[in-house]
Amino acid sequence: GQGIQLPLPPLLVGTVAILWSAYRLGPEGLLFAYAMTAAVAVAWRVLDSRDGAFRDCVAAVFAATYLPFLAGFVMLILAHPDGAHRLILFIFLPVASDTGGFFIGSLLGRHPMLPAVSPKKSWEGFAGSFGLTLIVALLLAGPLTEASIPVAILLAVAVTVAATLGDFAESLIKRDLAVKDMGSVLPGHGGLLDRLDSLLFTAPVLYVLMGLFVPGGF
């Protein structure tokens, strides 16, 4: 890497605090715990006399945002009275998006979406992502959450777009090796972001949309 030194103790403690606060205290708890984690991580690093404090502080805030803060929305979904059903939908829709995009993109992909960022992402794959996500949404959203067909379609569109943006964001992160080394936060899981980017990016989107349009609200 390029010598980034993350303040791991406050980040690891903060991750637990963020997830617990989101589940027990709701959106306000999530935001407060996230803000405190970022502030303590920055202070921890600033108090260290080594060079590169600004770079490390930016990396620390990014680490607190990309993993625990976005994952906090998963806890918000789970904390809902109908959280188990909503969580199933949250898992299956991004998986459908990734699966449809992978197979259709591999078989038929000819037209790259943003070749400078992610050469393998094609418009054909995007169509495959949406197609399979739509099928899964129409099959599961109603039985699991009593969502109407228009809402199921909305969820499919939103998840496909959010998951694709998550893929692009993760590709951009990879281009900066210093930030890619965030994977060292969890040793042995260098490909963690590869597997989580779609889920992380869709979590806040699905939390908001299900809260607004699915019976039972927030």
Side-chain angles (χ1 to χ4, degrees):
Q2 297 179 17
I4 278 187
Q5 298 293 324
L6 286 175
L8 287 181
L11 284 175
L12 294 176
V13 172
T15 295
V16 176
I18 288 169
L19 298 179
W20 182 89
S21 298
Y23 185 77
R24 299 294 297 179
L25 305 175
E28 297 84 358
L30 167 62
L31 292 173
F32 179 78
Y34 163 68
M36 289 299 296
T37 298
V40 172
V42 167
W44 184 288
R45 180 59 186 88
V46 168
L47 291 174
D48 192 323
S49 60
R50 287 178 293 111
D51 293 336
F54 178 76
R55 176 198 59 196
D56 292 349
C57 287
V58 172
V61 172
F62 174 84
T65 304
Y66 198 87
L67 290 173
F69 177 68
L70 293 180
F73 286 92
V74 181
M75 305 307 290
L76 294 179
I77 293 172
L78 185 60
H80 190 274
D82 195 30
H85 289 160
R86 292 187 177 206
L87 189 67
I88 293 172
L89 194 61
F90 158 71
I91 293 172
F92 272 85
L93 291 183
V95 168
S97 177
D98 283 349
T99 303
F102 175 77
F103 282 106
I104 299 300
S106 298
L107 292 172
L108 305 174
R110 297 292 184 273
H111 302 87
M113 296 180 72
L114 289 174
V117 176
S118 182
K120 294 182 180 180
K121 296 289 289 185
S122 66
W123 285 106
E124 292 84 357
F126 182 79
S129 293
F130 175 66
L132 188 55
T133 306
L134 180 61
I135 292 171
V136 172
L138 291 173
L139 289 174
L140 296 182
L144 286 174
T145 67
E146 299 182 0
S148 65
I149 290 178
V151 170
I153 296 171
L154 172 65
L155 294 179
V157 171
V159 166
T160 304
V161 172
T164 301
L165 290 176
D167 288 337
F168 283 134
E170 194 261 346
S171 295
L172 285 171
I173 291 165
K174 278 185 169 183
R175 299 171 78 88
D176 186 340
L177 292 179
V179 179
K180 183 184 177 183
D181 286 342
M182 293 301 187
S184 65
V185 173
L186 294 174
H189 291 269
L192 184 69
L193 298 185
D194 288 328
R195 296 187 287 273
L196 289 183
D197 54 356
S198 295
L199 288 169
L200 288 172
F201 270 70
T202 55
V205 173
L206 278 179
Y207 169 72
V208 171
L209 291 180
M210 288 192 290
L212 290 174
F213 300 113
V214 167
F218 289 101

